[in-house]
Amino acid sequence: MQSFFYDEQIRRFLLQFTRIFSNFQVEYGRANSDEATLIRVPVRYGDWTRLAQTVNQDNSASALPSTPLMTFYITGMDYDRPRMQEPYFIDRKAVRQRYYDVATDSYETAQGNAFTIERLMPVPYKMTITLDIWTSNTNQKFQIFEQIVTLFNPALEIQSTDNFIDWTSLSMVELDQTTWTSRTIPQGTENPIDIMSMRFTLPIWISSPAMVKKLGVIEKIIMSVFDAQGDAAEAIQNSDLLLGTRQKFTPYKFQALLVGNKLQALKYSAVVDEPNTSTTLPDQPPSNEFWPAILEMYGGFRPGISQIRLDNQHGSTDQIIATATVDPTDDRFLLLDIDTDTVPQNTLPAVNSVIDPLLSGPGSGLPAAVAGQRYLILNNIGDADNTQPSSAWGALLAQANDVIEYDGQDWVVSFGSTTNTENIQYMTNITTDLQYLWTGSSWIKSYEGLYPAGEWSIVI
């Protein structure tokens, strides 16, 4: 632990004290237009070292300060026992920042870093400051005195810092005593400068360093809402109720886009061109979100060991699990090594590709028919009533979302979308290596695509 600590706390109070007296003026005669000539009275901290004093006096022992002038210096620093509180008290504050977007130079609505501040009980002190007012005549003294004493009735509040976490920044300056003159009677002619002294007291606090702890990132929050019937214990054990009412949240609201084995972080407001309900992979949009910065907020990321977990978005409790490393060529992406045991297993043979049978056919945009070729079609083959075949596909009659296959002589329907409306099926596209899921009514991407906030997590 570092033993040295210096936060310039007394210096900041002195700076505030200086600002109180830094703009007083005196009238220094009148111009021809009968307008008063005002001279600003300088204020200086008077605790000079010998070297600094010699420089200011032009290396002459006979040089005197010019007037009018105000100087101040500390004359007392005493422990203020009446203000003492529990010395071992620790105050804890939770501080949450708004997310700051460096690219747009603005704060977003999402949450940023979170910290816990542990503040130790400060030590009370009473600081005494003497202000000397140097004047060359009584009129100057009257002018300065009237301007000062009207501020202190009986005290003036000051603030040493604008940090809202600093509970010791506020103090007050109280005028305690005034010594009208430094001269004694009889007054001779050899001392033209008169000094009036004012004594001020400041109740201050001296603080020890605060402990700042960066909060660990909660990867996911699940809120379960139970109905008013039955007790809570039964409701918690009711998985159907839990799954039907849960809400998931991801800190910072980042989305994750999985394309192939690359995972990209996107803002919560980002929109991709192909939704998860389509059979086409989305393009990876431009983004300024870099994984090293995101992973640093979680801490302890270990390339090749730490995991990315993607929730199955189609009603299953299983997760897609993969180990991750940052792409060395583009740190906007994580390279995933997906555990094949967590990927849904195919229940149907793979298809060669997804086609529109009205735009292409065997030997016309597609390879010549070979036994075993399989295609997922996006449009009907045949007329609207499925009574007239399409010449490109022989006598085949098929519906959109069917899987057709060439058996060596004819094209036949291998999977009928209208006759399979209950069972979930999985199938891979050989051309794109993309796995599809049959929901009972449509084909969609099984696990690749966009994962909203709350549907993915990092396991360090």
Side-chain angles (χ1 to χ4, degrees):
M1 180 177 179
Q2 185 176 2
S3 59
F4 176 78
F5 170 73
Y6 174 59
D7 194 36
E8 299 184 349
Q9 298 175 65
I10 297 176
R11 178 182 175 86
R12 288 199 297 269
F13 282 111
L14 292 178
L15 288 175
Q16 292 299 312
F17 187 87
T18 305
R19 292 187 178 99
I20 296 176
F21 301 96
S22 61
N23 286 303
F24 291 114
Q25 297 175 316
V26 296
E27 181 179 327
Y28 217 78
R30 292 183 175 270
N32 295 332
S33 59
D34 201 32
E35 292 184 359
T37 301
L38 300 179
I39 302 298
R40 179 174 173 271
V41 182
V43 57
R44 301 171 184 169
Y45 183 70
D47 191 9
W48 288 352
T49 64
R50 291 181 179 272
L51 178 60
Q53 185 177 9
T54 301
V55 172
N56 279 274
Q57 292 181 347
D58 296 327
N59 201 25
S60 172
S62 59
L64 292 176
S66 60
T67 58
L69 172 69
M70 289 186 289
T71 60
F72 68 96
Y73 46 92
I74 297 176
T75 56
M77 185 72 72
D78 303 308
Y79 185 82
D80 197 356
R81 190 173 182 81
R83 289 194 297 128
M84 183 188 73
Q85 301 182 40
E86 171 56 52
Y88 303 106
F89 175 74
I90 299 177
D91 178 73
R92 293 176 174 85
K93 294 289 184 183
V95 179
R96 300 181 182 274
Q97 299 176 328
R98 293 175 64 183
Y99 175 74
Y100 183 75
D101 191 338
V102 180
T104 60
D105 195 22
S106 62
Y107 287 94
E108 302 286 347
T109 56
Q111 177 183 305
N113 294 328
F115 304 91
T116 294
I117 311 294
E118 294 186 354
R119 304 182 295 186
L120 306 181
M121 175 58 68
V123 183
Y125 269 85
K126 182 173 69 174
M127 181 165 61
T128 304
I129 298 178
T130 298
L131 176 73
D132 289 340
I133 303 174
W134 304 53
T135 55
S136 59
N137 57 69
T138 305
N139 189 37
Q140 286 183 358
K141 182 185 295 187
F142 289 160
Q143 294 179 49
I144 298 174
F145 180 79
E146 288 186 13
Q147 295 178 71
I148 291 177
V149 295
T150 52
L151 292 178
F152 297 91
N153 188 22
L156 187 68
E157 187 176 89
I158 62 173
Q159 183 173 347
S160 64
T161 175
D162 59 358
N163 186 349
F164 74 97
I165 300 177
D166 185 359
W167 58 353
T168 66
S169 61
L170 292 178
S171 183
M172 66 177 183
V173 180
E174 182 177 3
L175 179 57
D176 184 57
Q177 179 182 329
T178 299
T179 301
W180 181 254
T181 181
S182 60
R183 295 175 178 175
T184 58
I185 296 176
Q187 296 181 3
T189 58
E190 70 281 357
N191 188 14
I193 296 180
D194 183 23
I195 301 176
M196 178 177 63
S197 297
M198 292 182 170
R199 189 178 69 185
F200 297 89
T201 56
L202 287 79
I204 66 172
W205 300 91
I206 305 298
S207 298
S208 55
M211 181 177 293
V212 180
K213 297 180 179 179
K214 191 171 184 179
L215 295 182
V217 176
I218 300 176
E219 298 176 357
K220 185 184 301 179
I221 304 170
I222 299 179
M223 297 176 56
S224 300
V225 182
F226 308 119
D227 56 17
Q229 299 177 356
D231 60 17
E234 293 181 357
I236 291 175
Q237 295 174 0
N238 188 338
S239 59
D240 292 335
L241 176 61
L242 176 61
L243 293 176
T245 59
R246 69 180 182 180
Q247 301 178 44
K248 299 179 181 179
F249 303 90
T250 297
Y252 315 108
K253 297 184 179 181
F254 283 119
Q255 302 182 91
L257 176 62
L258 178 63
V259 178
N261 72 329
K262 288 189 174 184
L263 190 71
Q264 181 179 8
L266 300 175
K267 287 185 179 179
Y268 64 93
S269 57
V271 179
V272 297
D273 52 358
E274 292 290 345
N276 294 345
T277 54
S278 73
T279 57
T280 305
L281 276 177
D283 293 330
Q284 294 165 327
S287 172
N288 290 324
E289 306 301 330
F290 299 100
W291 278 110
I294 298 173
L295 297 173
E296 183 180 351
M297 294 185 291
Y298 286 80
F301 179 79
R302 295 171 294 172
I305 299 177
S306 298
Q307 294 179 343
I308 296 292
R309 299 197 174 194
L310 308 172
D311 289 357
N312 191 301
Q313 304 175 49
H314 309 297
S316 172
T317 57
D318 295 334
Q319 292 182 320
I320 308 298
I321 301 176
T323 55
T325 57
V326 178
D327 188 340
T329 61
D330 191 343
D331 53 9
R332 293 178 303 150
F333 300 99
L334 285 182
L335 300 180
L336 302 187
D337 184 7
I338 299 175
D339 184 350
T340 56
D341 291 337
T342 64
V343 176
Q345 299 300 310
N346 288 331
T347 57
L348 296 175
V351 294
N352 294 82
S353 62
V354 180
I355 64 167
D356 185 344
L358 303 181
L359 301 178
S360 58
S364 177
L366 295 174
V370 177
Q373 283 181 344
R374 292 166 54 86
Y375 296 107
L376 171 60
I377 61 173
L378 301 179
N379 272 310
N380 297 345
I381 296 178
D383 64 11
D385 296 327
N386 269 358
T387 58
Q388 297 296 326
S390 170
S391 58
W393 301 99
L396 178 64
L397 297 176
Q399 299 281 346
N401 291 325
D402 286 354
V403 176
I404 61 174
E405 183 176 354
Y406 189 66
D407 62 7
Q409 293 182 348
D410 300 304
W411 288 97
V412 296
V413 176
S414 174
F415 173 83
S417 58
T418 58
T419 58
N420 292 272
T421 58
E422 296 182 0
N423 296 328
I424 290 178
Q425 305 288 346
Y426 291 94
M427 179 179 64
T428 298
N429 183 343
I430 296 176
T431 302
T432 61
D433 201 28
L434 180 62
Q435 187 183 58
Y436 301 131
L437 163 68
W438 173 248
T439 64
S441 60
S442 62
W443 289 99
I444 63 175
K445 294 183 283 289
S446 67
Y447 67 91
E448 294 186 49
L450 186 67
Y451 287 82
E455 301 293 336
W456 66 279
S457 59
I458 300 175
V459 178
I460 300 300

